[in-house]
Amino acid sequence: MASGSGSLMWFRKGLRIHDNPALEYAAKGTRFLYPVFVIDPHYMEPDPNAFSPGSPRAGLNRIRFLLESLVDLDLSLKKLGSRLLVLKGEPSEVLIRCLKEWDITKLCFEYDTEPYYQALDLKVKTGASTAGIEVFSPVSHTLFNPADIIHKNGGRPPLSYQSFVKLAGQPSWASSPLSITLSSLPHVGDVGSCEISEVPTIEELGYGESPQDCFSPFRGGESEALKRLRESIADKVWVATFEKPKGNPSAFLKPATTVLSPYLKFGCLSSRYFYQCLQDVYRNVKRHTSPPVSLVGQLLWRDFFYTVALGTPNFDQMRGNRICKQIPWNDNDELLATWREARTGYPWIDAIMVQLCKWGWMHHLARHSVACFLTRGDLFVHWEKGRDVFERLLIDSDWAINNGNWLWLSCSSFFYQYNRIYSPISFGKKYDPNGDYIRHFLPVLKDMPKEYIYEPWTAPLSVQTKAKCIIGRDYPKPVVPHDSESKECRRKMAEAYTLNQKLKGVVSEEDLKNSRRKLEEHPEQEAKTKRIRQKPVG
DNA sequence: ACTGGGTTGAGGTT
DNA sequence: AACCTCAACCCAGT
C-alpha cells in the first residue's frame, strides 16, 4: 500500500501537458501523482472480422496515431519528473482497483460528452465518490461547456450555427491566460501490485506487419500538434484570409487546411489555445475573415456539433432522433462495398476513398463528395453505413462531428437542399483539371489523358490501351449512371420530405417500408437506371 | 405567421 | 470572377 495523499490523473482524450486543467489540479498540493492511461481491449485489440486492419472500433491508422500520442505524452511527463502509467482492461474496473491500491484522494479527468464516456464516467465517479474520493472533471475539450449552452437555450440545443454563435457569445476565458507550460510534476508513488507497462507498440498489441503504403503521413502527439500549429499560424495572411469553402479538396502535397483536426480530436492540441493563437493573429492584421468560414469559425462548428450532439437523444442514428428526417434509404450492401472499397468506377470518388484508407484524412469537401455520392446523390445507401466507415478509418473521427456531418450531407438534418448534388465528375475537375490527385491515389489511371480521367469509360479503346488501363478489366465501369441515378435520388428525397411533413416527422418502420415499395413501383425506370450509357468501346 | 439566411452545386452567360 | 438560372426550399428562431 502506498502511503500519503495521491492524485490520479486519468488521460483519455486531452493527451497534452499544455492547457490541461485536470492535470494541473491533480498536481496541485499532492505528494504523489499517478498519470494513467487505460488500454481498453475493445478499442485496441485486433478484430480479424473487420473490413480493414484494426480493432472492432478503430482502424490501424488511428490506433497508431493514438499510440504515438501516448509515447509523446510519456516523454513530456518524463521531462517533468513523472511518467505515463499504462494499464490494461475495462477502464472502470482498472481505475477503481488503482484508486484503492494507491490510496488516492483525488481523481481528475477531462469531462467528455460522448455517450460512451458519459456512461463510463458515471460508473467511475460513483465508485470514487462512494469511497470518499474527490472527483474533478473539468470541461476543457471544447471552447464552451455544451451543457451551459443547452441550459441557456431552455433545455434544447440550438439547431442552427448562427443561433449557436449568438447564444454562445464570447468564451468566458478568452482573454485570461492559459497555463501553457508546467515546470515539474509530483513523483509517481509506489504502484503496488497493479500491472503497469510502457506504451505498447502496434506489434505488441497483436498487429502484424501492415502494408507500408497504408501509413498515414500524420504523426500523433502534442509535440507534433504544436509544431503544426506554429507552422499554420506563421503565415498571417493565410490565417487572416482563410475561407473553408474556398479550399482545394484535391490538394494533397500541401493540404488546403491546417490538418489540426486529429490533434484536436485526441486533445493533443487544446482548442482554447488554438483559439487564442488565432485571436493573436487577428489582432495584428487589418482585416480577417469571420465565422462560419474563418478558422475561428471552424472551432465554433466543432462546438456547435458537440452541443447539438449532447442535447439530442439518439443523435447517431435515424430512428428515434428527433432532428433527423426519416428517409427510406436502401439496404444495399453491394453498393456500400463498392464505395468502401474504392471501386465505384468514378475516379474522383474512388481516389478520395483510397486517400481515406491510406491516410485516414481527406479534405472537408472531398468528404462531402463521397458522402453525398453514397447517400442522397447516387447510391441512396443509409448515412449510418457511411458514418461507420468514416468513424473507423478517419484519424480525426470524432463522434459528434462525424455524425453531425453525415446528418448534414445526407440532408437528414441542418441542411435540406437536396437538389444540390455534387457531381462525381465535374466537382473535382474544377479544382484539378489535370487529375493529379486521381493519378496519385489511383495509379492504375496515371497514364489516362486528362480529357478522360474523370470519365475513363468514355475513352476510346485505343486510348485505354495506350494508357494501359482497360475499363471493365483494369478499372471498373461506373457502378450506376450518375445522370439518371441522381435524378432518381432527388425524386426519392422529395417523396421522403413530403412524407415527413405529412406525418409531422413521426414516421414508423411500416411507413418507411411502404414508402420503399412505392418508390420502386417504376420498374421500367429502375431498369433504365441500371443500364450504363457509354460509348461503345473501340 | 412571418422572416431571413442557408459555410462550400452545376452549368451557363456576361 | 461575378452573376444568373435551374427548379424549386427548408426550417429555426422570433
Side-chain angles (χ1 to χ4, degrees):
Chain A
M1 177 78 68
S3 63
S5 76
S7 288
L8 196 157
M9 170 62 199
W10 179 24
F11 285 98
R12 307 101 64 81
K13 297 173 191 166
L15 304 177
R16 63 173 184 267
I17 305 292
H18 75 278
D19 183 33
N20 193 331
L23 176 63
E24 263 173 71
Y25 189 80
K28 213 180 290 171
T30 189
R31 194 159 156 220
F32 299 113
L33 171 67
Y34 295 83
V36 164
F37 185 88
V38 184
I39 296 210
D40 187 341
H42 189 58
Y43 196 90
M44 304 290 257
E45 272 178 12
D47 177 6
N49 297 319
F51 70 80
S52 79
S55 71
R57 295 280 317 280
L60 203 50
N61 269 328
R62 193 164 72 254
I63 292 174
R64 190 183 292 116
F65 193 96
L66 170 58
L67 293 182
E68 287 163 355
S69 301
L70 293 176
V71 167
D72 187 63
L73 182 64
D74 184 40
L75 275 174
S76 301
L77 288 169
K78 280 173 177 158
K79 281 180 198 154
L80 297 170
S82 183
R83 71 176 175 117
L84 188 64
L85 307 172
V86 178
L87 294 111
K88 254 189 207 135
E90 199 285 311
S92 67
E93 282 170 25
V94 170
L95 279 166
I96 288 171
R97 194 153 21 99
C98 291
L99 292 176
K100 272 199 207 124
E101 180 78 21
W102 300 339
D103 198 15
I104 298 295
T105 54
K106 209 159 65 174
L107 169 65
C108 305
F109 56 90
E110 184 175 61
Y111 171 74
D112 201 301
T113 52
E114 271 182 49
Y116 173 78
Y117 283 109
Q118 293 264 307
L120 175 60
D121 294 357
L122 185 66
K123 248 195 280 181
V124 172
K125 267 186 186 170
T126 312
S129 300
T130 336
I133 295 164
E134 180 192 356
V135 176
F136 181 64
S137 184
V139 174
S140 51
H141 189 62
T142 46
L143 299 180
F144 299 91
N145 181 350
D148 282 352
I149 308 241
I150 292 167
H151 179 70
K152 247 195 203 170
N153 199 41
R156 291 220 170 176
L159 294 173
S160 73
Y161 183 81
Q162 292 307 338
S163 61
F164 168 82
V165 170
K166 216 156 87 183
L167 210 58
Q170 291 297 315
S172 53
W173 45 266
S175 50
S176 63
L178 303 173
S179 168
I180 302 306
T181 52
L182 281 170
S183 51
S184 74
L185 287 170
H187 293 294
V188 175
D190 181 6
V191 296
S193 66
C194 290
E195 234 179 276
I196 308 292
S197 74
E198 295 290 312
V199 178
T201 62
I202 274 284
E203 288 77 20
E204 283 164 352
L205 284 175
Y207 297 94
E209 295 281 301
S210 52
Q212 200 64 35
D213 66 342
C214 275
F215 273 58
S216 173
F218 306 110
R219 294 276 146 265
E222 179 183 19
S223 307
E224 189 68 27
L226 294 174
K227 188 175 144 224
R228 234 192 142 77
L229 172 67
R230 277 193 297 272
E231 284 165 5
S232 293
I233 59 176
D235 189 342
K236 297 197 166 42
V237 176
W238 185 81
V239 171
T241 57
F242 183 91
E243 287 182 68
K244 185 71 163 275
K246 295 203 174 148
N248 178 353
S250 71
F252 62 95
L253 292 174
K254 187 181 181 298
T257 53
T258 60
V259 198
L260 286 171
S261 53
Y263 303 94
L264 289 166
K265 180 246 150 64
F266 282 110
C268 300
L269 174 64
S270 152
S271 61
R272 316 197 297 181
Y273 181 53
F274 186 18
Y275 177 92
Q276 291 200 348
C277 289
L278 291 172
Q279 295 295 351
D280 276 344
V281 174
Y282 290 166
R283 266 195 292 278
N284 291 308
V285 293
K286 260 193 223 139
R287 39 182 296 140
H288 60 83
T289 51
S290 298
V293 298
S294 65
L295 278 170
V296 160
Q298 305 314 300
L299 284 173
L300 293 172
W301 277 108
R302 180 172 177 269
D303 268 48
F304 169 67
F305 283 126
Y306 268 85
T307 305
V308 185
L310 177 66
T312 307
N314 303 314
F315 183 70
D316 59 357
Q317 57 188 59
M318 180 175 83
R319 310 266 28 172
N321 179 347
R322 68 177 175 228
I323 67 166
C324 181
K325 283 250 186 291
Q326 304 298 305
I327 294 168
W329 304 111
N330 69 41
D331 198 21
N332 191 325
D333 286 340
E334 203 69 20
L335 290 177
L336 173 68
T338 62
W339 178 81
R340 192 181 61 210
E341 292 161 14
R343 48 184 177 85
T344 67
Y346 289 95
W348 171 247
I349 299 297
D350 293 339
I352 294 167
M353 295 307 287
V354 170
Q355 189 184 21
L356 170 60
C357 264
K358 294 197 168 178
W359 286 31
W361 183 91
M362 62 286 205
H363 186 273
H364 191 59
L365 291 178
R367 300 181 193 202
H368 279 207
S369 279
V370 295
C372 179
F373 185 88
L374 179 71
T375 58
R376 66 183 170 85
D378 292 85
L379 303 185
F380 218 68
V381 169
H382 204 306
W383 62 266
E384 291 171 14
K385 299 286 181 77
R387 181 274 319 279
D388 288 341
V389 173
F390 272 29
E391 188 168 288
R392 176 176 188 78
L393 296 177
L394 284 171
I395 54 172
D396 62 14
S397 84
D398 180 299
W399 184 78
I401 300 171
N402 191 31
N403 280 290
N405 277 310
W406 277 95
L407 284 164
W408 187 294
L409 261 298
S410 63
C411 284
S412 298
S413 199
F414 309 113
F415 176 78
Y416 305 94
Q417 284 171 278
Y418 54 78
N419 279 309
R420 291 191 184 172
I421 292 175
Y422 291 85
S423 163
I425 296 151
S426 52
F427 186 74
K429 206 187 274 181
K430 82 180 167 200
Y431 297 100
D432 179 17
N434 192 46
D436 292 337
Y437 176 82
I438 293 169
R439 289 171 212 283
H440 184 264
F441 287 105
L442 292 175
V444 68
L445 287 165
K446 73 178 176 3
D447 296 320
M448 191 61 72
K450 69 172 202 256
E451 290 72 22
Y452 302 107
I453 192 159
Y454 284 88
E455 306 167 85
W457 63 93
T458 64
L461 189 57
S462 58
V463 173
Q464 296 183 25
T465 307
K466 195 160 168 240
K468 294 186 274 317
C469 181
I470 307 298
I471 301 308
R473 189 191 75 191
D474 306 313
Y475 181 73
K477 294 175 182 173
V479 59
V480 294
H482 172 71
D483 281 353
S484 53
E485 209 68 349
S486 60
K487 281 199 185 77
E488 187 62 11
C489 283
R490 280 193 179 97
R491 188 177 73 85
K492 289 180 183 170
M493 291 299 285
E495 289 274 355
Y497 269 46
T498 309
L499 187 70
N500 276 266
Q501 202 167 39
K502 202 173 79 188
L503 300 175
K504 294 184 167 53
V506 188
V507 182
S508 70
E509 202 67 67
E510 194 61 31
D511 295 324
L512 285 181
K513 216 179 277 172
N514 290 335
S515 177
R516 265 186 212 103
R517 198 175 308 136
K518 193 180 156 199
L519 286 168
E520 267 146 38
E521 264 169 19
H522 308 274
E524 298 106 277
Q525 206 168 349
E526 282 289 304
K528 217 183 289 170
T529 62
K530 290 282 180 295
R531 238 175 287 135
I532 292 156
R533 237 166 291 144
Q534 57 174 320
K535 282 183 194 163
V537 171

